[in-house]
Amino acid sequence: MTTLPHWNRLIQLAAASGAYSQCLGHYASLLAADLRGGDASTFPSLAKSCAALRLPRLGRSLHAHALLAGAASDVFVRTSLLDMYAKCASLPDARRLFDEMPSRTLVSWNCMVTAYSKSSRVEEAVAMFNTMRGLGVRPSGGTLVGLMSGSVNSMATGNLGLCLYVYSLKSGLDADLPVLNSLLTMLVRGGQLHAARLMFESMREKSVVSWSAMASGFLQAEQDLVSSLVNLYARCGDLEAAQEVFDAAHWKDVVLWTSMITGLKVAIQTRH
């Protein structure tokens, strides 16, 4: 009869290689073999597979199995289940499990910060970040990246990016390239192009992500300028100049087309 350690090894290898469906299939076989539903070594890989496949309902079933098997009290099992709920955007389940934890690791905090941020609940992500700091838990580079992962759509993106940049300098995380790239992207998308440029020029190491962030920022600034010029010329009745600027634009997005059409409409109405 195949033993539990044997099935655990198969489950772990499948998850590690990205064969998530196979991993869950191995667990079904384990249950069929009547091996008590697993132990603390079984569930982290299963939770990882549910997270990767975005299967929160199955994840809840695994959570129940972990409770029945007496494995849910294990810190690694709890953290893997929390990570699964967070990545599946099951925030009520994630928060409930987080609140029930007798002790929380840095990974646990990072899971919640990232989950709130990616769900566009930026204020709650920032509150979680401040709470962990208040309790003496030192944020890592992963905490900052998680906090910024979904904050780019917030109206306060630029200001938050500047605050986090200052924090990264004070905490010594300004040498972490993923953190700097996330900050750079956040500043660019928040319209803080000058601050982004200063930060970019101060970076000792730059990656493709760094260069791409700055390039997109300058491109967006150029597009905004062109759209404003087209709109201005058209509204002033200088349709020839508006057309000239429009034709010279390398990229014509919806904003530029809208500026041109609106300007033409206003100019025609003015003439009549």
Side-chain angles (χ1 to χ4, degrees), residues 177 181 199-211:
L177 186 57
N181 283 338
M199 178 180 161
F200 178 79
E201 291 174 348
S202 70
M203 290 170 64
R204 297 175 184 175
E205 181 184 358
K206 300 178 180 72
S207 67
V208 174
V209 176
S210 315
W211 286 98

Side-chain angles (χ1 to χ4, degrees), residues 7 17 28-29 50 54 61 80 103 119 144 171 219 229 262:
W7 283 114
S17 64
S29 298
C50 285
R54 299 295 187 268
S61 296
S80 65
S103 61
S119 297
L144 294 187
S171 61
L219 178 60
L229 284 172
T262 303

Side-chain angles (χ1 to χ4, degrees), residues 1 164 185:
M1 184 177 180
L164 291 178
T185 301

Side-chain angles (χ1 to χ4, degrees), residues 82-136:
L82 175 62
D83 183 61
M84 179 271 297
Y85 284 133
K87 288 179 177 176
C88 289
S90 298
L91 284 180
D93 292 310
R95 186 58 193 256
R96 189 179 305 110
L97 181 57
F98 179 81
D99 289 340
E100 291 172 353
M101 287 181 165
S103 61
R104 303 178 183 107
T105 64
L106 176 59
V107 175
S108 307
W109 285 100
N110 287 354
C111 283
M112 290 306 303
V113 168
T114 303
Y116 278 128
S117 184
K118 286 191 172 181
S119 297
S120 298
R121 295 167 65 169
V122 181
E123 290 185 2
E124 287 162 285
V126 172
M128 185 68 67
F129 175 74
N130 289 332
T131 299
M132 67 183 289
R133 291 175 58 207
L135 292 173

